[in-house]
Every structure is written in structure tokens, then in C-alpha cells.
Amino acid sequence: DAGITQSPRHKVTETGTPVTLRCHQTENHRYMYWYRQDPGHGLRLIHYSYGVKDTDKGEVSDGYSVSRSKTEDFLLTLESATSSQTSVYFCAISESLGRADTQYFGPGTRLTVL
Amino acid sequence: DQQVKQNSPSLSVQEGRISILNCDYTNSMFDYFLWYKKYPAEGPTFLISISSIKDKNEDGRFTVFLNKSAKHLSLHIVPSQPGDSAVYFCAASAPRNDYKLSFGAGTTVTVRA
């Protein structure tokens, strides 16, 4: 199994509060991704990173920001959480952006915004 | 607008029989397709993939078929086992989009003993 951990694994928070989710990898992979999984939508890309301090938006980036100050850590921040951000969040890593470079996923963080 | 669609949310199959999962896509630029399997409370894990230059790829009990003209792919699991009970996601990527993955909504497979 790829060495990917996510913290926290579960979080309940209130609307309007900031939330930061952490993804940590031990594989030294260049690319890291944040997805959210919602019923009826599968996994949707929020943001991704192609190196330290290099990030870009995915298809559902509104309301989220990311940072990557070290190769091994990729942080996802909800500046002011809303109920629509209740979801399961997955981090993924890949060695490169090639066709056959599989993405490996972390165990997920279940976030509930009340 | 979802470019990858799995129109069957669930599938129930008897142990030992064949499971067939279907996936349709709308973006003709997709040239690489993957299936991921997900158990509850775990992250998705890569199962099998196929390039657009092929129409079939096999890996043990799992076979993926690609019909480019119909923009359709399917995953066959033969024979189905209780450990195959999981959610299966179809995904596709395109070189123009840096091979970022577009996922379908998933199909929940239940294998009955």
C-alpha cells in the first residue's frame, strides 16, 4: 500500500469555522490531489499540486484553498465551512502525469458541517 | 456536466456468476480508462485500466472491454466472489487535460452467497 495518511479521519464542525485537512505521503511522489466524494457524483477534483508551492484548481475549487510547503504534505483549507462542504475528502498521489501513472488514494476524511 | 456516467447505481449478483459493470463517456478526447474499487471507510484502489488503442484488457478474474465508437466500456468480473462486494468507479483521462481523472458516480456491487 502506498504510504498516504490523512488527518483527521473524522471531523464535525460548525458553519463559518475554518477547517484544515492534512495529507501526508512517504512515497516522495511529485503530484498530490484533493478530491471530494458525494453520492451521485463520484469523486471530483478540488485542487492538485505538481510540486512544492505549485498548485492548480480542479473542477470544484470554490470555497477551498491548498498549500504545499513540503513534498510530503498537502493541506486543504476550508476558510469558512458551509453545509454544502459536508463530504468525504480523499487525498491521492501519483509519480507523474503520464497516462499510465496510477493515482493512489488515502483512507479519506469524513467532514460534517452543521 | 458529468463526462463519465455509470447509470446503474447498484448491482446484485450471485457468488460464482458474472458481474458486468457499465460505463459511458461523452468526451471523445479521453484515451485512457481505469476502474477503481472502494470498500467502506477506505480509499479507492486501482483495479484495471485500458488504453484507447486496445479493446480488451484482462487481469485474472477482471476484464475491461472498450467500445470507442459507442463511447462505452464495461468491466467483467468472473467468477464473482464475496470479497468483490464494493463500490466500483469508472474513470477516464485525456492528454489535453494533463491526464487528470474524471470519475463516474460509482456502482455498488453486492455478491450474494
Side-chain angles (χ1 to χ4, degrees):
Chain A
D1 288 347
I4 311 170
T5 56
Q6 293 184 231
S7 58
R9 293 294 311 278
H10 301 271
K11 186 169 182 67
V12 180
T13 191
E14 294 189 348
T15 297
T17 59
V19 176
T20 295
L21 308 183
R22 179 181 183 237
C23 177
H24 178 78
Q25 60 145 331
T26 57
E27 305 297 319
N28 202 35
H29 283 1
R30 179 179 176 185
Y31 294 86
M32 299 185 76
Y33 312 80
W34 277 108
Y35 291 88
R36 59 179 289 173
Q37 184 202 352
D38 303 290
H41 291 279
L43 288 92
R44 292 180 291 174
L45 183 65
I46 305 171
H47 281 281
Y48 66 104
S49 169
Y50 43 95
V52 173
K53 292 188 171 27
D54 291 323
T55 64
D56 206 347
K57 296 179 179 179
E59 63 178 304
V60 289
S61 59
D62 287 349
Y64 302 94
S65 62
V66 290
S67 65
R68 192 169 177 198
S69 58
K70 297 184 290 186
T71 298
E72 59 266 33
D73 289 326
F74 192 31
L75 304 181
L76 176 70
T77 297
L78 292 65
E79 301 289 349
S80 177
T82 67
S83 59
S84 65
Q85 293 175 313
T86 292
S87 187
V88 181
Y89 291 85
F90 290 100
C91 173
I93 64 173
S94 67
E95 266 191 288
S96 71
L97 278 180
R99 177 183 290 117
D101 282 297
T102 307
Q103 289 186 25
Y104 298 95
F105 285 82
T109 294
R110 182 174 292 276
L111 176 66
T112 302
V113 183
L114 302 176
Chain B
D1 182 29
Q2 204 153 11
Q3 301 182 65
V4 178
K5 297 179 182 179
Q6 296 177 254
N7 292 318
S8 298
S10 62
L11 172 69
S12 179
V13 63
Q14 194 161 12
E15 183 178 1
R17 305 295 291 271
I18 185 172
S19 294
I20 299 176
L21 289 76
N22 294 303
C23 178
D24 297 295
Y25 61 96
T26 57
N27 187 346
S28 59
M29 301 304 293
F30 287 144
D31 71 348
Y32 198 72
F33 304 88
L34 308 89
W35 286 93
Y36 279 82
K37 176 180 181 178
K38 183 186 176 308
Y39 292 119
E42 295 183 11
T45 55
F46 170 74
L47 187 58
I48 192 170
S49 62
I50 187 167
S51 165
S52 60
I53 62 173
K54 295 185 174 182
D55 54 18
K56 177 182 174 182
N57 188 29
E58 277 184 86
D59 184 1
R61 296 185 297 112
F62 302 92
T63 303
V64 56
F65 296 91
L66 176 62
N67 182 334
K68 288 188 293 294
S69 61
K71 295 193 179 66
H72 177 84
L73 63 155
S74 61
L75 174 69
H76 293 208
I77 307 173
V78 185
S80 298
Q81 299 175 354
D84 296 330
S85 295
V87 179
Y88 290 80
F89 291 101
C90 173
S93 66
R96 179 176 289 187
N97 198 28
D98 290 336
Y99 293 106
K100 292 195 291 289
L101 296 178
S102 296
F103 283 86
T107 297
T108 300
V109 172
T110 302
V111 180
R112 309 185 311 270

